[in-house]
């Protein structure tokens, strides 16, 4: 019997990776580096190219052009079984006729590696001690996912790929598994590349998130950085929700950028602005807005918009208000249910205000559909 060798060290690098299917470009010149030992998320709507990217890393899809490198090793043309990479799928893909122990040991058996101690260690890592003699059909969805994870990790891959691994789980179990996956990744130190369409999942688990759209990366960064200062209107509305006011930037005035929108004047700090002249979107997250009855309740230094409350929805930790402005757009405002304020009535007038340091400014491309409808993953127009 041979002993398991440690996989080669190094980052995962994609260099100008492209995949076309006829006239359709699924992945368009993608270049990025995933740091060794990190938890990396590819986030995007259906059809954005994230799963195709994952399959090219795994060797299950051949790139039209570009390279995949693990450390200094070019693996672009290597067969999947020759790459130090394993994949966990949404469907788990467990062998129903084998028990848990044999499912986990499968990869080692094929390679002629001793597994007497390794399988129990992996089952302990995924908190399935004592489950070795059960069949997959006797396990819950979360337990099956843990078996699939143990089966992949026992091969000591340099990179573990996770393709919507929590998609088949219900909400509460999904949240528990998010915490478990992050714990396991931290403990084993293997590079995880996690594909998902769920922004909460990506932000909860990943050190770095790449937001994909139409085969390209729109923004790459930490979850907090991308959320607080999105690079594009698409990111602003895919990674959470944003209120986007279409306006025109009139240039810098001191340490702020002056903006005119729908006849009103606003300003955004220079450090929060990705444009200082021309068509822009002034963005504010719903939880950074506040609602009051009248303008004289707006604190000094804040900016505001007046409108009519068209809808209220109680969502537990907060109440969501929709405020129809004088120019016809609706703004979303989240008000914390902390008992500090009485609910505002539907149909009444109200004032939404925010501090400029909580706003951001993005260049606006006329005619581009920048927002994603979270229910249907379809583009809809914003702010005009």
């Amino acid at each position: 019997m041979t002993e398991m060798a440690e996989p080669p060290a190094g980052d995962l690098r994609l260099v100008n990776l492209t995949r076309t299917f006829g006239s359709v470009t699924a992945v368009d010149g993608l270049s990025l580096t995933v740091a060794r030992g990190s938890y990396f998320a590819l986030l995007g709507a259906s059809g954005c190219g994230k799963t195709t990217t994952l399959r090219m890393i795994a060797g299950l899809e051949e790139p039209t052009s570009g390279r995949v490198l693990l450390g200094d090793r070019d693996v672009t043309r290597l067969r999947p079984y020759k790459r130090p990479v394993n994949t966990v799928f949404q469907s788990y893909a467990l062998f129903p006729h084998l028990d848990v122990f044999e499912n986990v040991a499968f990869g080692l058996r094929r390679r002629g590696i001793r597994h007497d101690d390794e399988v129990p260690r992996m089952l302990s890592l995924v908190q399935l001690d004592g489950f070795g003699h059960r069949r997959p059909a006797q396990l819950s969805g979360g337990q099956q996912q843990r078996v699939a994870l143990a089966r992949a990790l026992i091969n000591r891959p340099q990179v573990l790929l996770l393709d919507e691994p929590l998609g088949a789980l219900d909400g509460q179990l999904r949240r528990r598994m998010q915490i478990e996956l992050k714990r396991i990744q931290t403990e084993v130190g293997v590079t995880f590349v996690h594909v998902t369409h769920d922004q909460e999942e990506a932000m909860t688990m990943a050190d770095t998130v790449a937001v994909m759209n139409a085969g390209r990366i729109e923004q790459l960064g930490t979850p907090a950085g991308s959320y607080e200062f999105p690079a594009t209107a698409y990111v602003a509305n895919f990674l959470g929700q944003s209120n986007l006011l279409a306006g025109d930037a009139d240039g810098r005035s001191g340490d702020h950028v002056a903006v005119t929108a729908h006849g009103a004047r606003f300003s955004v700090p220079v450090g929060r602005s990705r444009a200082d002249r021309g068509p822009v979107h002034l963005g504010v997250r719903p939880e950074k807005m506040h609602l009051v009855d009248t303008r004289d309740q707006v604190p000094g230094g804040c900016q505001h918009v007046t409108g009519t409350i068209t809808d209220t929805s109680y969502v537990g930790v907060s109440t969501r208000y929709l405020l129809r402005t004088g120019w016809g757009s609706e703004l979303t405002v989240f008000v914390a249910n902390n008992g500090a304020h009485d609910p505002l009535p539907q149909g009444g007038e109200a004032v939404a205000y925010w501090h400029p340091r909580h706003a951001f400014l993005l260049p606006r491309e006329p005619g581009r559909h920048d927002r994603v409808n979270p229910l249907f993953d379809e583009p809809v127009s914003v702010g005009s």
Side-chain angles (χ1 to χ4, degrees):
M1 299 283 185
T2 58
E3 295 297 325
M4 287 189 294
E6 291 295 334
D11 300 335
L12 165 67
R13 289 188 294 139
L14 310 182
V15 182
N16 294 322
L17 204 61
T18 297
R19 183 66 171 105
T20 59
F21 298 93
S23 62
V24 176
T25 301
V27 178
D28 190 4
L30 194 66
S31 292
L32 61 84
T33 298
V34 179
R36 179 192 179 198
S38 66
Y39 202 124
F40 187 93
L42 276 174
L43 173 67
S46 299
C48 73
K50 58 188 186 297
T51 295
T52 301
T53 301
L54 193 85
R55 289 176 60 83
M56 286 190 286
I57 298 171
L60 302 173
E61 198 79 58
E62 186 172 344
T64 304
S65 61
R67 296 187 298 157
V68 178
L69 297 101
L70 293 172
D72 295 325
R73 184 184 182 194
D74 190 332
V75 300
T76 311
R77 305 303 171 191
L78 287 184
R79 298 287 184 110
Y81 66 89
K82 291 187 176 182
R83 303 185 186 203
V85 172
N86 275 91
T87 306
V88 176
F89 299 99
Q90 179 179 341
S91 62
Y92 315 140
L94 300 178
F95 300 112
H97 62 289
L98 299 180
D99 62 21
V100 167
F101 188 99
E102 292 301 325
N103 263 283
V104 174
F106 183 80
L108 299 186
R109 282 189 183 280
R110 292 189 64 185
R111 293 156 56 198
I113 295 173
R114 177 180 295 169
H115 58 267
D116 294 353
D117 298 326
E118 198 68 16
V119 173
R121 186 177 74 82
M122 277 295 156
L123 290 178
S124 178
L125 175 69
V126 299
Q127 299 183 349
L128 286 177
D129 302 89
F131 283 73
H133 296 296
R134 296 195 189 186
R135 295 289 178 92
Q138 297 173 300
L139 305 178
S140 68
Q143 290 168 339
Q144 291 184 49
Q145 184 61 274
R146 291 166 191 255
V147 175
L149 189 62
R151 185 178 62 181
L153 287 173
I154 202 169
N155 294 310
R156 298 190 184 180
Q158 183 179 339
V159 178
L160 183 68
L161 306 175
L162 302 108
D163 188 10
E164 299 277 7
L166 309 182
L169 306 180
D170 61 40
Q172 187 174 5
L173 180 55
R174 190 182 185 115
R175 286 187 287 274
R176 288 208 306 268
M177 282 301 298
Q178 289 172 7
I179 296 170
E180 279 301 297
L181 272 176
K182 182 59 180 175
R183 174 191 66 79
I184 291 167
Q185 190 275 332
T186 301
E187 188 168 335
V188 299
V190 171
T191 305
F192 277 27
V193 178
H194 184 129
V195 159
T196 181
H197 65 277
D198 187 317
Q199 58 95 10
E200 179 183 341
E201 188 172 296
M203 294 180 70
T204 299
M205 304 167 71
D207 306 311
T208 305
V209 176
V211 181
M212 288 191 69
N213 181 32
R216 298 182 179 182
I217 293 178
E218 295 242 345
Q219 186 161 4
L220 176 69
T222 64
S226 298
Y227 183 86
E228 294 295 338
F229 191 22
T232 66
Y234 178 87
V235 174
N237 271 305
F238 192 84
L239 205 60
Q241 287 182 252
S242 291
N243 295 300
L244 300 178
L245 280 68
D248 292 285
D250 304 320
R252 298 188 181 190
S253 177
D255 57 357
H256 282 68
V257 175
V259 179
T260 302
H262 304 287
R265 299 281 291 174
F266 303 95
S267 66
V268 179
V270 169
R272 302 273 301 163
S273 303
R274 298 189 184 273
D276 59 13
R277 285 196 178 276
V280 291
H281 276 131
L282 189 160
V284 189
R285 296 285 186 183
E287 71 275 10
K288 301 294 176 63
M289 284 184 158
H290 307 272
L291 273 184
V292 290
D293 296 300
T294 59
R295 293 183 186 180
D296 57 14
Q297 296 174 279
V298 176
C302 290
Q303 299 172 7
H304 67 273
V305 170
T306 301
T308 302
I309 297 174
T310 58
D311 186 69
T312 63
S313 301
Y314 181 84
V315 291
V317 297
S318 65
T319 296
R320 184 190 66 186
Y321 291 89
L322 295 183
L323 186 76
R324 183 171 292 279
T325 64
W327 58 87
S329 296
E330 282 189 329
L331 303 180
T332 302
V333 184
F334 295 153
V335 177
N337 290 326
N338 54 16
H341 306 283
D342 293 329
L344 294 173
Q346 186 169 325
E349 285 200 354
V351 179
Y353 72 86
W354 65 92
H355 196 281
R357 67 174 176 270
H358 293 145
F360 52 86
L361 202 61
L362 306 174
R364 175 166 52 94
E365 299 178 32
R368 178 181 171 181
H369 295 296
D370 281 308
R371 184 177 177 185
V372 163
N373 183 323
L375 294 179
F376 302 105
D377 286 345
E378 293 177 351
V380 295
S381 299
V382 167
S384 56

